[in-house]
């Protein structure tokens, strides 16, 4: 069951999956599946019936978490970054996921494309223009209360944007992904969140304590994915209206959800190699094409100076924005930073487990460099190209962005319309948004499928189809039945889950370190 010759600390007769229900072509773990499905159905029905009340209730829960535990989110985020960097530098980084003879299942390019597309590809499309513009113009607070539309605000806008999309969110994902990959491939445990707690509670991981952890993970994942799908449909519909004058109505948004869900179902049926990998590679190639075009048409050779300045601004603001004491920029601090940290943490079960699923054969050091450092460098380039071009338009009073943020979902298109071939690039932008949603949906379905099947890597196809369909149905039903209020309630619920999961991630760090030390000792004993 394990790859080491000294496995006593991890010997386990786990029954998870052995008592699974096998009906209708399914193979799911009874308590986790049934409880998760019941809670999701109850939530959707209640939200559709009382959208305003549901939004208010979960907004109060979200606000309470953010206002009272802001320090915990920030401190935890800092710990995750330091922990990951330490593992890169320590000898533990040489440990290979799956054992010394394990080989990677995917090429480095495909591996990176999949983890990047699942992690935050869609977010970069949505916020790369809107966020720097918002900080510079003071749309909803400014970093550290710096005066809007000043040279200092320009520097702070790029530094703060990178702070929210750089090392910290990827460290959150890395902690979950590395923990699950290690305990699955090196210790023979199932690919499910509860496995990371085996060093603490041993066989009790397969009891109700583990069930609760996995149910929370399923709820956070499906709520986060359905929220993004609903809001993404609104963004795509706004783009189609902007580009082709197609009415931005509920029918258009529902049609987009149906289309995205249909493609996602085909992708999950084809599996990782035939579905997710192909779509991720396609999207990364298309994203690179758009990036290069905006780089040349927007800033030209000035982009190299811009990248250096963005990097410098990120480094300059990294420590001040990581500080949780004596903050006076309350609107920015709570409305942006703490909100983001809670959102990243609520997404970590989904993204972390998917990254773990595709990372067998990499060393701990390779894993962390690819998940933590390389995405940060890519994001610096992306934000400099899109955000920097947008800020130039704001400063020079060019186009709609000169008036600030009017509608977040249109910010990208407002920037592109002032560059050559605006219709073509805007259409590419819409395609990227839609395909990023597909890759998020199908990778999320594979993750939920694994959790509810007791950690199995390849559960039956009908089960994958079920979860991909559920994501679309939840997003469509809430959008149709409750509109923005219902989606807002779902988003607030997902973020509220971030608080308990913060504690789970901190425990994961300890468990992972203990597990890696045990593995290191096993390797040393085998060598002697």
């Amino acid at each position: 069951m394990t790859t080491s010759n000294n496995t006593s600390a991890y010997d386990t007769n786990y029954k998870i999956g052995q008592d699974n229900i096998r009906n209708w072509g399914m193979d799911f773990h009874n308590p986790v599946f049934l409880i998760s499905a019941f809670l999701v159905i109850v939530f959707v029905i209640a939200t559709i019936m009382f959208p305003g009340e549901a939004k208010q209730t979960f907004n109060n829960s979200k606000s309470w978490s953010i206002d009272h535990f802001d320090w915990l989110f920030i401190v935890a985020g800092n710990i995750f970054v330091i922990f990951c960097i330490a593992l890169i530098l320590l000898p533990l980084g040489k440990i290979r996921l799956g054992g010394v003879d394990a080989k990677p299942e995917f090429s480095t390019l495909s591996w990176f494309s999949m983890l990047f597309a699942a992690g935050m590809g869609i977010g970069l499309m949505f916020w790369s223009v809107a966020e720097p513009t918002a900080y510079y113009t003071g749309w909803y607070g400014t970093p550290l209360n710096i005066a809007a539309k000043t040279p200092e605000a320009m520097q702070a806008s790029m530094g703060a944007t990178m702070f929210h999309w750089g090392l910290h969110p990827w460290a959150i994902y890395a902690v979950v992904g590395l923990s699950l990959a290690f305990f699955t491939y090196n210790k023979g445990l199932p690919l499910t969140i509860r496995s990371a707690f085996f060093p603490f509670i041993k066989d009790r991981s397969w009891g109700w304590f583990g069930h609760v952890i996995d149910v929370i993970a399923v709820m956070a994942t499906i709520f986060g994915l359905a929220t993004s799908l609903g809001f993404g449909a609104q963004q795509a519909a706004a783009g189609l209206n902007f580009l082709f004058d197609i009415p931005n109505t509920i029918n258009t948004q529902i049609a987009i959800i149906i289309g995205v869900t249909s493609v996602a179902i085909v992708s999950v049926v084809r599996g990782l190699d035939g579905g997710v990998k192909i779509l991720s590679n396609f999207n990364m190639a298309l994203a690179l094409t758009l990036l290069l075009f905006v780089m040349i048409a927007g800033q030209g050779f000035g982009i190299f100076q811009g990248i250096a300045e963005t990097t410098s601004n990120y480094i300059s603001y990294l420590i001040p924005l990581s500080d949780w004491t004596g903050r006076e920029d309350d609107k920015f601090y709570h409305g942006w930073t703490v909100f983001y940290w809670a959102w990243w943490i609520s997404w970590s079960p989904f993204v972390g487990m998917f990254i773990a699923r595709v990372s067998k054969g990499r060393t701990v050091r390779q894993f962390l460099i690819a998940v933590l450092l390389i995405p940060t460098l890519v994001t610096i380039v992306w934000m400099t190209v899109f955000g920097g071009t947008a800020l130039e338009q704001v400063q020079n009073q060019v186009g709609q962005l000169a008036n600030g943020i009017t509608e977040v979902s249109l910010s990208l298109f407002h920037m592109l319309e002032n560059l050559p071939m605006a219709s073509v690039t805007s259409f590419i932008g819409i395609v990227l948004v839609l395909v990023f949603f597909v890759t998020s949906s199908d990778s999320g379905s594979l993750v939920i499928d694994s959790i509810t099947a007791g950690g199995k890597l390849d559960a039956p196809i009908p089960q994958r189809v079920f979860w991909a369909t559920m994501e679309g149905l939840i997003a469509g039903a809430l959008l149709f039945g409750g509109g923005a209020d219902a989606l807002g309630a779902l988003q607030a619920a997902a973020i509220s889950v971030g608080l308990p999961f913060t504690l789970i991630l901190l425990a994961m760090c300890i468990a992972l370190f203990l597990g890696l030390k045990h593995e290191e000792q096993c390797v040393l004993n085998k060598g002697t």
Side-chain angles (χ1 to χ4, degrees):
M1 180 175 296
T2 62
T3 60
S4 305
N5 68 332
N6 178 16
T7 62
S8 58
Y10 288 86
D11 285 343
T12 174
N13 295 313
Y14 67 84
K15 297 181 180 180
I16 184 170
Q18 296 177 5
D19 299 325
N20 286 7
I21 296 174
R22 292 176 174 85
N23 292 314
W24 312 297
M26 303 272 196
D27 182 5
F28 48 77
H29 188 238
N30 191 350
V32 175
F33 183 95
L34 294 180
I35 294 173
S36 300
F38 173 76
L39 291 176
V40 167
I41 292 170
V42 169
F43 177 88
V44 171
I45 292 174
T47 301
I48 291 175
M49 293 177 62
F50 309 103
E53 292 82 353
K55 182 180 180 182
Q56 183 63 43
T57 298
F58 284 105
N59 270 340
N60 290 339
S61 173
K62 178 190 73 174
S63 298
W64 182 82
S65 299
I66 288 176
D67 292 342
H68 289 83
F69 292 93
D70 50 358
W71 60 272
L72 178 61
F73 287 117
I74 301 301
V75 170
N78 295 339
I79 290 174
F80 300 145
V81 173
I82 294 171
F83 177 71
C84 289
I85 292 175
L87 288 183
I88 292 175
L89 300 176
L90 289 172
L92 295 174
K94 294 184 293 184
I95 294 173
R96 187 171 298 276
L97 299 174
V100 292
D101 298 323
K103 302 296 182 183
E105 298 180 67
F106 305 98
S107 68
T108 300
L109 181 59
S110 292
W111 177 48
F112 178 75
S113 296
M114 285 190 288
L115 70 88
F116 197 81
M120 55 179 60
I122 185 59
L124 293 179
M125 292 297 300
F126 195 90
W127 289 106
S128 58
V129 170
E131 196 164 330
T133 304
Y135 298 157
Y136 177 70
T137 59
W139 179 65
Y140 192 82
T142 58
L144 305 175
N145 279 344
I146 292 172
K149 297 183 179 180
T150 61
E152 292 78 12
M154 175 71 75
Q155 297 170 0
S157 65
M158 296 304 294
T161 300
M162 276 308 308
F163 178 66
H164 291 155
W165 294 86
L167 294 174
H168 284 76
W170 284 104
I172 292 169
Y173 294 159
V175 166
V176 178
L178 184 58
S179 296
L180 298 180
F182 173 75
F183 287 111
T184 297
Y185 300 130
N186 293 69
K187 299 303 182 183
L189 303 183
L191 183 61
T192 184
I193 302 295
R194 68 177 77 197
S195 294
F197 292 87
F198 188 81
F200 297 136
I201 59 177
K202 300 298 188 288
D203 284 343
R204 289 193 299 275
S205 300
W206 323 128
W208 279 102
F209 179 83
H211 297 339
V212 170
I213 291 176
D214 281 351
V215 168
I216 294 175
V218 171
M219 299 294 286
T221 299
I222 200 163
F223 283 174
L225 287 170
T227 300
S228 293
L229 183 56
F231 284 126
Q234 293 179 328
Q235 182 192 20
L240 291 172
N241 175 259
F242 175 79
L243 190 59
F244 301 114
D245 203 29
I246 296 174
N248 185 1
T249 62
I250 188 67
N251 290 335
T252 302
Q253 295 167 16
I254 295 295
I256 290 171
I257 290 176
I258 293 173
V260 168
T261 303
S262 299
V263 178
I265 289 173
V266 173
S267 180
V268 297
V269 168
R270 291 176 61 87
L272 280 174
D273 276 307
V276 180
K277 186 180 78 171
I278 292 175
L279 284 174
S280 297
N281 289 342
F282 168 77
N283 232 26
M284 291 304 293
L286 196 60
L288 179 61
T289 301
L290 183 61
L291 176 74
L292 291 175
F293 176 83
V294 176
M295 181 189 301
I296 295 170
Q299 302 178 56
F301 289 109
I303 189 62
F304 297 105
Q305 180 180 348
I307 291 173
E309 290 176 351
T310 299
T311 304
S312 175
N313 292 331
Y314 180 31
I315 295 172
S316 298
Y317 283 93
L318 182 60
I319 300 301
L321 293 176
S322 299
D323 188 4
W324 65 95
T325 60
R327 293 290 291 265
E328 297 180 354
D329 54 340
D330 185 73
K331 180 178 285 188
F332 172 85
Y333 177 57
H334 287 105
W336 288 99
T337 300
V338 182
F339 173 89
Y340 261 134
W341 270 217
W343 181 247
W344 297 137
I345 290 171
S346 73
W347 267 64
S348 63
F350 149 50
V351 180
M353 186 176 287
F354 180 75
I355 293 174
R357 176 67 182 83
V358 298
S359 297
K360 184 178 181 180
R362 311 288 175 175
T363 67
V364 169
R365 185 170 292 119
Q366 289 171 342
F367 178 97
L368 290 173
I369 289 174
V371 177
L372 184 68
L373 300 183
I374 294 179
T376 299
L377 296 175
V378 172
T379 304
I380 287 175
V381 176
W382 186 276
M383 290 299 184
T384 301
V385 172
F386 286 84
T389 301
L391 289 177
E392 281 190 359
Q393 293 181 7
V394 174
Q395 286 184 309
N396 297 326
Q397 294 293 294
V398 174
Q400 290 288 334
L401 291 179
N403 301 318
I405 299 294
T406 54
E407 186 176 347
V408 172
S409 60
L410 288 177
S411 298
L412 172 65
F413 305 109
H414 285 157
M415 184 271 288
L416 292 175
E417 72 175 337
N418 297 300
L419 300 178
M421 302 173 61
S423 297
V424 175
T425 55
S426 295
F427 180 74
I428 291 175
I430 294 173
V431 172
L432 279 169
V433 168
L434 294 176
V435 181
F436 270 129
F437 275 117
V438 172
T439 54
S440 294
S441 178
D442 54 17
S443 54
S445 300
L446 292 172
V447 165
I448 299 174
D449 183 33
S450 178
I451 297 175
T452 55
K456 295 186 177 182
L457 297 180
D458 294 300
I461 289 176
Q463 194 161 313
R464 303 182 209 167
V465 174
F466 172 83
W467 286 114
T469 304
M470 280 295 294
E471 291 162 23
L473 286 176
I474 292 170
L478 291 177
L479 196 60
F480 183 79
D485 280 345
L487 287 176
L490 190 65
Q491 184 183 52
I495 292 171
S496 298
V497 176
L499 179 58
F501 243 93
T502 302
L503 302 177
I504 290 174
L505 262 65
L506 289 169
M508 274 186 176
C509 291
I510 300 173
L512 176 60
F513 183 77
L514 294 175
L516 289 171
K517 291 295 292 183
H518 176 268
E519 184 78 2
E520 182 183 46
Q521 189 60 46
C522 291
V523 173
L524 289 175
N525 290 342
K526 186 176 181 179
T528 57

